[in-house]
Amino acid sequence: MLWAGRMRLRTFRILVMLVHASAACEFGPFPYSVTGIVCRMTKPAALLLNQETARVIQAAFRNAKFPNITGERSMRLLGKVAYGLTNIQVNGLSIEQSEVELKENDAIHIAIKNVTAFFKGTLTYGYAGAWFLQLFHSVDFEIESSIDLQINIKLMCQKDQVAADASDCYLTFHKLTLHLQGDKEPGWLKQLFTDFISFTLKLVLKSEVCNEISFLAQVLANFVHDLAANFVQDEDIRLDISLASVPLIKANYLESHHKGLVLYKNYSDVFSDSVFSPSLLTESRMLYFWLSEHILNSLASAAFLDKRLGLTITGEKLQALFEMEDTEAQRKAVQMVFQGTSYNDSVAKVWSLAHPQISVQPEGTVVKSLVGVEISILPPGEEPLMALYMEKEIMVTIQAAYAEKKLILHPVDSRIEFKVFKCTADPSGNDPSIRNFLQTMISVVGIPEVISRIEPALTSLMNSKGLHLFEIRNPEIITRKGYVIVQLDFSFPNHLLLDFLEKRL
């Protein structure tokens, strides 16, 4: 009896045991020391996401593969009565209420109340009565049930990533009624088989639904991990978001700590001096991201190695840079640099000569870089002529914000020091007018121009990862010595989970 159901339940338990056996991740005695990224989700965010729980539960019921239920029983006068319920499937489902609670250092407790579920299928039965009389019948059936569902989801580490264990799952039946051939009135046949199968049916429903919920919980955990991994990757540059310590469950928040090491070809990133402490984050906002200064530095180094830190300026953009003000000094400098050549026949190239250095301070993110600038004249039909070449060390402090689904970068302070300066029109370098003009131009127009190019590029990159799908409210980017905190409230894009579940099914 129930061989298929028992075999699946046995297999599931074995898989759960294997998951637990392989779940242990080894961390050092000071796990925070290698923490580069922290994600904290507070209880308001958990309550918001709990509104989507109904979709997961509905998917679990729809996707559960209910085995055939068979059994037999000896009855007076009737002899042996054998029965089988086949083709069991969900015909309708509604959920009245869902609640979530974070249990300190234990689990995420989800209580689903008043789940009304209708199942349909075929009942086949037969009995050998006295005098060897045998009768066999098949009738359609409908099962009406009212269920409370309790799930305790534990977060753990498996293969260096967050894993969800929802095997602690309970179904409480308040109602389980069998209707045969649409007949709602109790009859002797209905009463007979209700008594036979109700207990067995409860066991089957519990095992299969809880099995599917546990499976979906892990699928969703993998989905979130893959979503995060994709968000922090662009072509060959990506971040290692493997866990640096076991995920935490507190009464008011969930928190996970990740290494955040930059991975790029043969570039080797090492980090063991994190300043993270849980006290650095509060519980007033829905979602927090803590980022180490080391991550920003490593990303800048990888971008430099990938030859991304370069910019070409031509035409009207070049003209706007050199004609920021209409003064005699400006006109003289432009005439000397371009030697009367049109902006359309000239090109300026700006690139980083070395790995940029990034430090995070309360005033903002400080970027220090050795930059090369070359302006070339392009005579028609001739080889390009270098009109100007300079190397300068630039240190600029940038404050960042996010509004109207766009990243905003605002330079608040900059310092420029020329290291190399060569101008064809002034080989001796004795004329200070060009250098003074360029110093002003770089500070007032050049740096904002470069940043204005970076803003849409980074915004486009983040939107390509799906950030624009979220309704982000009142985001704040806070810089402190050695780290950045991003804190925000948000609305979950319902279709994101729905689309995922539809693909999963």
Side-chain angles (χ1 to χ4, degrees), residues 464-477:
S464 71
K465 306 297 184 179
L467 185 63
H468 64 292
L469 299 176
F470 292 80
E471 290 300 326
I472 297 176
R473 301 190 299 274
N474 303 320
E476 294 180 85
I477 302 176

Side-chain angles (χ1 to χ4, degrees), residues 431-500:
D431 189 340
S433 61
I434 297 179
R435 189 175 303 201
N436 292 338
F437 168 73
L438 291 173
Q439 178 111 4
T440 304
M441 183 200 75
I442 292 168
S443 300
V444 177
V445 184
I447 291 175
E449 171 65 20
V450 172
I451 290 178
S452 71
R453 300 286 188 97
I454 296 175
E455 282 179 342
L458 291 178
T459 298
S460 177
L461 176 61
M462 292 188 295
N463 287 342
S464 71
K465 306 297 184 179
L467 185 63
H468 64 292
L469 299 176
F470 292 80
E471 290 300 326
I472 297 176
R473 301 190 299 274
N474 303 320
E476 294 180 85
I477 302 176
I478 302 170
T479 56
R480 295 290 183 263
K481 185 173 177 57
Y483 61 89
V484 179
I485 295 175
V486 180
Q487 56 189 37
L488 54 94
D489 299 321
F490 70 97
S491 296
F492 189 77
N494 296 337
H495 61 86
L496 186 65
L497 182 59
L498 181 61
D499 291 347
F500 166 73

Side-chain angles (χ1 to χ4, degrees), residues 159-184:
K159 296 181 180 179
D160 291 329
Q161 72 180 60
V162 177
D165 176 13
S167 58
D168 189 1
C169 170
Y170 300 92
L171 268 67
T172 302
F173 289 84
H174 300 296
K175 179 181 181 181
L176 189 68
T177 305
L178 176 69
H179 302 300
L180 299 179
Q181 293 182 324
D183 181 12
K184 307 297 181 181

Side-chain angles (χ1 to χ4, degrees), residues 283-463:
E283 301 170 15
S284 60
R285 306 299 297 274
M286 294 173 67
L287 192 61
Y288 294 82
F289 294 101
W290 183 94
L291 305 173
S292 169
E293 169 187 283
H294 176 84
I295 289 178
L296 303 179
N297 242 324
S298 298
L299 285 173
S301 295
F304 170 77
L305 294 173
D306 205 41
K307 303 185 185 304
R308 299 192 184 193
L309 304 183
L311 180 64
T312 299
I313 306 173
T314 59
E316 293 180 358
K317 285 289 185 180
L318 189 58
Q319 182 177 0
L321 286 176
F322 279 89
E323 295 184 359
M324 61 177 182
E325 57 182 15
D326 188 14
T327 64
E328 183 63 30
Q330 175 259 322
R331 288 192 291 271
K332 179 182 177 182
V334 170
Q335 179 63 31
M336 292 183 67
V337 171
F338 291 93
Q339 303 172 40
T341 303
S342 167
Y343 291 111
N344 291 328
D345 295 326
S346 306
V347 60
K349 295 181 180 178
V350 183
W351 70 97
S352 183
L353 295 167
H355 296 235
Q357 298 176 13
I358 296 179
S359 63
V360 182
Q361 303 294 334
E363 298 79 17
T365 302
V366 181
V367 181
K368 184 178 180 181
S369 181
L370 182 62
V371 176
V373 178
E374 181 179 283
I375 297 177
S376 298
I377 298 172
L378 310 174
E382 299 181 24
E383 291 294 322
L385 301 175
M386 187 184 72
L388 177 71
Y389 176 81
M390 56 184 172
E391 296 178 4
K392 56 189 184 297
E393 187 174 80
I394 297 179
M395 186 165 68
V396 57
T397 302
I398 301 172
Q399 293 179 348
Y402 186 83
E404 298 180 353
K405 300 185 182 296
K406 295 180 181 179
L407 179 66
I408 301 170
L409 302 176
H410 178 59
V412 294
D413 182 39
S414 62
R415 300 176 188 175
I416 301 170
E417 180 182 350
F418 286 96
K419 298 294 184 179
V420 176
F421 186 88
K422 298 178 181 179
C423 180
T424 303
D426 181 25
S428 64
N430 294 327
D431 189 340
S433 61
I434 297 179
R435 189 175 303 201
N436 292 338
F437 168 73
L438 291 173
Q439 178 111 4
T440 304
M441 183 200 75
I442 292 168
S443 300
V444 177
V445 184
I447 291 175
E449 171 65 20
V450 172
I451 290 178
S452 71
R453 300 286 188 97
I454 296 175
E455 282 179 342
L458 291 178
T459 298
S460 177
L461 176 61
M462 292 188 295
N463 287 342

Side-chain angles (χ1 to χ4, degrees), residues 127-389:
Y127 56 90
W131 305 289
F132 304 102
L133 177 63
Q134 293 184 346
L135 296 174
F136 300 94
H137 299 278
S138 291
V139 295
D140 293 332
F141 71 84
E142 182 183 70
I143 299 169
E144 182 181 357
S145 67
S146 179
I147 307 168
D148 283 351
L149 179 62
Q150 294 187 16
I151 313 166
N152 292 310
I153 302 177
K154 293 185 177 182
L155 301 181
M156 54 190 182
C157 177
Q158 181 184 357
K159 296 181 180 179
D160 291 329
Q161 72 180 60
V162 177
D165 176 13
S167 58
D168 189 1
C169 170
Y170 300 92
L171 268 67
T172 302
F173 289 84
H174 300 296
K175 179 181 181 181
L176 189 68
T177 305
L178 176 69
H179 302 300
L180 299 179
Q181 293 182 324
D183 181 12
K184 307 297 181 181
E185 299 299 325
W188 73 270
L189 185 62
K190 172 184 171 183
Q191 186 63 47
L192 173 67
F193 286 107
T194 297
D195 292 342
F196 278 8
I197 68 176
S198 61
F199 178 73
T200 302
L201 184 60
K202 289 177 181 179
L203 290 179
V204 170
L205 293 180
K206 176 186 181 303
S207 65
E208 297 304 320
V209 170
C210 286
N211 183 345
E212 188 63 23
I213 288 174
S214 186
F215 175 70
L216 277 179
Q218 184 53 48
V219 168
L220 287 172
N222 292 338
F223 169 67
V224 172
H225 177 272
D226 294 343
L227 195 68
N230 178 62
F231 190 84
V232 294
Q233 178 176 359
D234 181 46
E235 296 181 3
D236 291 334
I237 301 175
R238 60 190 178 94
L239 291 180
D240 175 10
I241 60 171
S242 59
L243 288 175
S245 62
V246 177
L248 295 180
I249 299 180
K250 297 293 185 181
N252 295 320
Y253 64 85
L254 310 171
E255 189 170 279
S256 59
H257 314 99
H258 308 265
K259 295 176 182 177
L261 298 176
V262 171
L263 305 175
Y264 172 74
K265 295 182 179 179
N266 296 327
Y267 175 79
S268 180
D269 193 15
V270 180
F271 182 50
S272 60
D273 193 24
S274 176
V275 297
F276 175 74
S277 168
S279 62
L280 297 177
L281 302 179
T282 65
E283 301 170 15
S284 60
R285 306 299 297 274
M286 294 173 67
L287 192 61
Y288 294 82
F289 294 101
W290 183 94
L291 305 173
S292 169
E293 169 187 283
H294 176 84
I295 289 178
L296 303 179
N297 242 324
S298 298
L299 285 173
S301 295
F304 170 77
L305 294 173
D306 205 41
K307 303 185 185 304
R308 299 192 184 193
L309 304 183
L311 180 64
T312 299
I313 306 173
T314 59
E316 293 180 358
K317 285 289 185 180
L318 189 58
Q319 182 177 0
L321 286 176
F322 279 89
E323 295 184 359
M324 61 177 182
E325 57 182 15
D326 188 14
T327 64
E328 183 63 30
Q330 175 259 322
R331 288 192 291 271
K332 179 182 177 182
V334 170
Q335 179 63 31
M336 292 183 67
V337 171
F338 291 93
Q339 303 172 40
T341 303
S342 167
Y343 291 111
N344 291 328
D345 295 326
S346 306
V347 60
K349 295 181 180 178
V350 183
W351 70 97
S352 183
L353 295 167
H355 296 235
Q357 298 176 13
I358 296 179
S359 63
V360 182
Q361 303 294 334
E363 298 79 17
T365 302
V366 181
V367 181
K368 184 178 180 181
S369 181
L370 182 62
V371 176
V373 178
E374 181 179 283
I375 297 177
S376 298
I377 298 172
L378 310 174
E382 299 181 24
E383 291 294 322
L385 301 175
M386 187 184 72
L388 177 71
Y389 176 81

